[in-house]
Amino acid sequence: MKFDPRKLKKVELHVHLDTCLSYHYLKKVDPQITRTAFNRQFVAPKRCADLGDFLSKIAPQIDLLQTSQAITLAVEDLFAQLAADNVIYAELRFAPLLHTRLGLTGEAVVETVLAAMHNASRAYGIAAGLILCTLRHFDAAASLQTAKLVIDYQGSGVVALDLAADEARYPLTHHVAAFRAVRAAGGNVIAHAGEAKGPDSVRETLDRLQVSRIGHGVRSIEDPALVERLVATGVLLEICPSCNLTCNLFDSIDDHPIDRLKKWGVRLNVNTDARTVVDTTLNKEYQLLHDAFGWQDDDFNRSNRQALEASFLDGDTKIKLMSQLNAGSM
Ligand SMILES: [Zn+2]
């Protein structure tokens, strides 16, 4: 039977709200925009020369997302994309403090996203949680402010604190207290690592932030002892293959370590990260892995079960969705 990624039910754990504005969304905001102009402004080249190249496609999306109305529309837009990918559970993420330029408070930004997420979740029948990101270049105060938002909205749909942005240029030091605060309040913590920097960044993140999942983490493959540690502790890697290629981490998909990590026994799942910037969908990512490594339905179903296990869903919903995944594709 021919492989068809669209039939597979999916779990997405790593997708940034502010990197996924679709052409459809932009047409609503600016009816004059052409596909060419959209691509030039928001889509990265297949190979970025450096991180600045990549980030320059995110900045104009953040510029747009400064009002409650624009943010609400973006959440609805993302859910339409998740539905087209047959996603049954998603954890969305963004950095609330980047959306306060026109006067919204951090609290108002989070409440806007949560309200839109709950509405879209009901409308599309897709369960969802919200992860708040602090950023590497934030100072300790901004990081703690983000941690406080995670703690304050824990019971309302916020499920974790994440650390994102430029790991190569900024250390963890300013963020240790924020992560400690969330953990002390019984919250979940995750972080980006092992992407721009090598295995040391993954080890440092595990040791100092005590995260249960790593965003990317693909460069762990450079250190067998670290891979063994990931296997032994069950820390899940949220892997985003096309994003890694766009950011020039590997020469081609054939060189990407996802298949080797999987065979080694590392828990991992497949994500888009930045749908618009990378010009991808989960269906495209699954097809890419099928074509490169021969992954079949069973491989994807297993990674989706691992994703659900490592998700921050409450127990009852997790059991319900696990039975949907086990029931197979539809
Ligand atoms: Zn990311």
Side-chain angles (χ1 to χ4, degrees):
M1 204 165 53
K2 192 178 177 324
F3 176 71
D4 183 354
R6 292 168 304 176
K7 287 185 181 163
L8 291 167
K9 289 180 178 165
K10 304 178 186 74
V11 174
E12 176 149 43
L13 299 179
H14 192 134
V15 57
H16 295 257
L17 180 62
D18 49 9
T19 61
C20 294
L21 300 184
S22 70
Y23 181 57
H24 179 70
Y25 176 99
L26 262 299
K27 270 284 186 200
K28 274 194 216 164
V29 178
D30 173 11
Q32 305 303 319
I33 195 165
T34 62
R35 177 67 78 168
T36 311
F38 171 81
N39 287 343
R40 191 176 56 239
Q41 264 185 286
F42 302 104
V43 183
K46 283 281 164 239
R47 291 281 163 167
C48 286
D50 54 37
L51 187 70
D53 222 7
F54 188 81
L55 297 177
S56 72
K57 306 301 174 185
I58 301 174
Q61 300 192 53
I62 293 171
D63 291 345
L64 287 169
L65 298 174
Q66 298 296 332
T67 65
S68 291
Q69 193 193 14
I71 293 169
T72 298
L73 270 179
V75 175
E76 290 166 2
D77 181 55
L78 180 53
F79 269 82
Q81 298 176 53
L82 295 169
D85 270 333
N86 205 359
V87 168
I88 60 169
Y89 175 68
E91 287 176 6
L92 330 177
R93 66 182 74 190
F94 82 121
L97 301 190
L98 295 184
H99 303 268
T100 56
R101 278 183 226 154
L102 294 184
L104 288 174
T105 61
E107 285 78 5
V109 172
V110 172
E111 285 168 23
T112 298
V113 173
L114 283 175
M117 181 182 87
H118 291 314
N119 282 338
S121 179
R122 269 192 300 275
Y124 284 99
I126 299 171
L130 182 64
I131 296 165
L132 304 185
C133 306
T134 183
L135 302 177
R136 286 260 178 179
H137 53 274
F138 280 3
D139 62 18
S143 214
L144 273 169
Q145 197 184 342
T146 308
K148 185 171 182 310
L149 289 170
V150 172
I151 294 164
D152 289 349
Y153 291 93
Q154 269 194 105
S156 314
V158 171
V159 295
L161 175 68
D162 174 39
L163 175 62
D166 192 346
E167 65 172 322
R169 286 176 56 203
Y170 298 92
L172 287 181
T173 321
H174 290 157
H175 310 291
V176 174
F179 276 70
R180 193 183 302 127
V182 171
R183 289 199 315 273
N188 304 300
V189 293
I190 60 176
H192 287 65
E195 182 193 16
K197 270 179 89 179
D200 284 351
S201 119
V202 175
R203 199 176 287 105
E204 184 191 23
T205 301
L206 291 172
D207 290 341
R208 297 189 68 192
L209 303 185
Q210 297 174 35
V211 296
S212 62
R213 298 187 336 222
I214 296 271
H216 302 292
V218 284
R219 292 189 57 192
S220 304
I221 197 76
E222 296 166 22
D223 180 346
L226 175 60
V227 178
E228 292 292 353
R229 177 176 173 182
L230 293 172
V231 173
T233 53
V235 167
L236 178 128
L237 302 187
E238 306 155 356
I239 297 190
C240 315
S242 290
C243 182
N244 295 154
L245 295 178
T246 300
C247 291
N248 243 332
L249 260 60
F250 308 103
D251 289 340
S252 76
I253 187 65
D254 298 325
D255 299 316
H256 194 286
I258 186 168
D259 193 53
R260 281 175 283 154
L261 289 164
K262 171 175 164 284
K263 286 179 174 148
W264 209 322
V266 174
R267 285 149 59 91
L268 53 85
N269 85 314
V270 182
N271 307 273
T272 58
D273 195 336
R275 288 166 174 262
T276 298
V277 179
V278 177
D279 187 24
T280 195
T281 64
L282 273 185
N283 286 329
K284 283 190 191 175
E285 295 301 309
Y286 282 36
Q287 188 68 53
L288 183 72
L289 296 176
H290 171 77
D291 293 344
F293 303 115
W295 285 26
Q296 305 293 339
D297 290 7
D298 284 352
D299 300 292
F300 292 107
N301 286 335
R302 201 176 91 193
S303 75
N304 279 310
R305 283 197 299 274
Q306 291 181 341
L308 209 52
E309 281 162 11
S311 75
F312 302 126
L313 268 169
D314 67 77
D316 286 350
T317 318
K318 202 180 266 193
I319 291 166
K320 196 181 97 195
L321 293 185
M322 195 62 87
S323 66
Q324 281 189 33
L325 279 182
N326 288 333
S329 48
M330 260 178 59

Coordinates of all heavy atoms in Angstrom, one line a residue, residues 105-134:
T105 N -0.3 43.9 27.9 CA 0.6 43.3 29.0 C 0.9 41.9 28.7 O 0.2 41.2 27.9 CB -0.1 43.4 30.4 OG1 -1.3 42.6 30.3 CG2 -0.5 44.8 30.7
G106 N 1.9 41.3 29.4 CA 2.2 39.9 29.2 C 1.0 39.0 29.5 O 0.7 38.1 28.8
E107 N 0.3 39.4 30.6 CA -0.9 38.7 31.0 C -2.0 38.7 29.9 O -2.6 37.7 29.5 CB -1.6 39.3 32.3 CG -0.8 38.9 33.5 CD 0.5 39.8 33.7 OE1 0.7 40.7 32.9 OE2 1.2 39.5 34.7
A108 N -2.2 39.9 29.3 CA -3.2 40.1 28.3 C -2.9 39.2 27.0 O -3.7 38.6 26.4 CB -3.4 41.5 27.9
V109 N -1.6 39.2 26.7 CA -1.1 38.4 25.5 C -1.4 36.9 25.8 O -2.0 36.2 24.9 CB 0.4 38.6 25.3 CG1 0.9 37.7 24.3 CG2 0.7 40.1 24.9
V110 N -1.1 36.4 27.0 CA -1.3 35.0 27.3 C -2.8 34.7 27.3 O -3.2 33.7 26.7 CB -0.6 34.7 28.6 CG1 -1.0 33.2 29.1 CG2 0.9 34.8 28.5
E111 N -3.6 35.6 27.9 CA -5.0 35.3 27.9 C -5.6 35.3 26.5 O -6.5 34.6 26.2 CB -5.7 36.4 28.8 CG -5.4 36.1 30.3 CD -5.8 37.2 31.2 OE1 -6.7 38.0 30.9 OE2 -5.3 37.3 32.4
T112 N -5.1 36.2 25.7 CA -5.6 36.2 24.3 C -5.4 34.9 23.6 O -6.2 34.3 22.9 CB -4.9 37.4 23.5 OG1 -5.3 38.6 24.1 CG2 -5.4 37.4 22.0
V113 N -4.1 34.4 23.7 CA -3.7 33.2 23.0 C -4.5 32.0 23.6 O -5.1 31.2 22.9 CB -2.2 32.9 23.1 CG1 -1.9 31.5 22.6 CG2 -1.5 34.0 22.3
L114 N -4.7 32.0 25.0 CA -5.4 30.9 25.6 C -6.9 30.9 25.1 O -7.4 29.8 24.8 CB -5.3 31.0 27.1 CG -4.0 30.6 27.8 CD1 -4.0 30.9 29.3 CD2 -3.7 29.1 27.5
A115 N -7.5 32.0 25.1 CA -8.9 32.1 24.7 C -9.1 31.6 23.2 O -9.9 30.8 22.9 CB -9.5 33.5 24.8
A116 N -8.2 32.1 22.4 CA -8.2 31.6 21.0 C -7.9 30.2 20.8 O -8.6 29.4 20.0 CB -7.2 32.5 20.1
M117 N -7.0 29.7 21.6 CA -6.6 28.3 21.6 C -7.8 27.4 22.0 O -8.1 26.4 21.4 CB -5.4 28.0 22.4 CG -4.9 26.6 22.4 SD -3.4 26.4 23.5 CE -4.3 26.0 25.1
H118 N -8.4 27.7 23.1 CA -9.5 26.9 23.6 C -10.7 26.9 22.6 O -11.3 25.9 22.4 CB -10.0 27.4 25.0 CG -9.0 27.2 26.1 ND1 -8.3 26.0 26.2 CD2 -8.5 28.0 27.1 CE1 -7.5 26.0 27.3 NE2 -7.6 27.3 27.8
N119 N -11.0 28.0 22.0 CA -12.0 28.1 21.0 C -11.7 27.2 19.8 O -12.5 26.4 19.3 CB -12.3 29.6 20.5 CG -13.0 30.4 21.5 OD1 -13.8 29.8 22.3 ND2 -12.9 31.7 21.5
A120 N -10.5 27.4 19.3 CA -10.1 26.6 18.1 C -10.0 25.2 18.4 O -10.3 24.3 17.6 CB -8.8 27.2 17.5
S121 N -9.5 24.8 19.6 CA -9.4 23.5 20.0 C -10.8 22.8 20.0 O -10.9 21.7 19.5 CB -8.9 23.5 21.4 OG -8.7 22.2 21.9
R122 N -11.8 23.5 20.5 CA -13.2 22.9 20.4 C -13.7 22.8 19.0 O -14.2 21.8 18.6 CB -14.1 23.8 21.2 CG -14.3 23.4 22.7 CD -15.4 24.2 23.3 NE -15.2 25.6 23.3 CZ -14.5 26.4 24.2 NH1 -14.0 25.7 25.2 NH2 -14.4 27.7 24.1
A123 N -13.5 23.9 18.2 CA -14.0 23.9 16.8 C -13.4 22.8 16.0 O -14.1 22.3 15.1 CB -13.7 25.3 16.2
Y124 N -12.1 22.6 16.1 CA -11.4 21.6 15.3 C -11.3 20.2 15.9 O -10.9 19.2 15.3 CB -10.0 22.1 14.9 CG -10.0 23.1 13.9 CD1 -9.8 24.5 14.3 CD2 -10.1 22.8 12.5 CE1 -9.8 25.5 13.3 CE2 -10.0 23.8 11.6 CZ -9.9 25.2 12.0 OH -9.9 26.1 11.0
G125 N -11.7 20.1 17.2 CA -11.5 18.8 17.9 C -10.1 18.4 18.0 O -9.7 17.2 17.9
I126 N -9.2 19.4 18.2 CA -7.8 19.1 18.4 C -7.4 19.6 19.9 O -7.5 20.7 20.2 CB -6.9 19.9 17.4 CG1 -7.2 19.5 16.0 CG2 -5.4 19.7 17.7 CD1 -6.6 20.4 14.9
A127 N -7.0 18.6 20.7 CA -6.6 19.0 22.1 C -5.3 19.8 22.0 O -4.5 19.6 21.0 CB -6.3 17.8 22.9
A128 N -5.1 20.7 22.9 CA -3.9 21.6 22.8 C -3.4 22.1 24.2 O -4.2 22.2 25.1 CB -4.2 22.8 21.9
G129 N -2.2 22.4 24.3 CA -1.6 23.1 25.4 C -0.7 24.2 24.9 O -0.3 24.2 23.8
L130 N -0.4 25.1 25.8 CA 0.4 26.3 25.4 C 1.7 26.3 26.3 O 1.7 26.2 27.5 CB -0.3 27.6 25.7 CG 0.3 28.9 25.3 CD1 0.6 29.0 23.8 CD2 -0.5 30.1 25.7
I131 N 2.9 26.5 25.5 CA 4.2 26.6 26.2 C 4.6 28.0 26.0 O 4.5 28.6 25.0 CB 5.2 25.6 25.4 CG1 4.8 24.2 25.6 CG2 6.6 25.9 25.9 CD1 5.4 23.2 24.6
L132 N 5.2 28.6 27.1 CA 5.7 30.0 27.0 C 7.2 29.9 27.0 O 7.8 29.2 27.8 CB 5.2 30.8 28.3 CG 3.7 30.8 28.5 CD1 3.4 31.8 29.7 CD2 2.9 31.3 27.2
C133 N 7.7 30.7 26.0 CA 9.2 30.7 25.8 C 9.8 31.9 26.5 O 9.4 33.1 26.3 CB 9.5 30.8 24.4 SG 8.8 29.5 23.3
T134 N 10.9 31.7 27.2 CA 11.8 32.8 27.5 C 12.9 32.7 26.5 O 13.1 31.6 25.8 CB 12.4 32.7 29.0 OG1 13.2 33.8 29.2 CG2 13.2 31.4 29.2

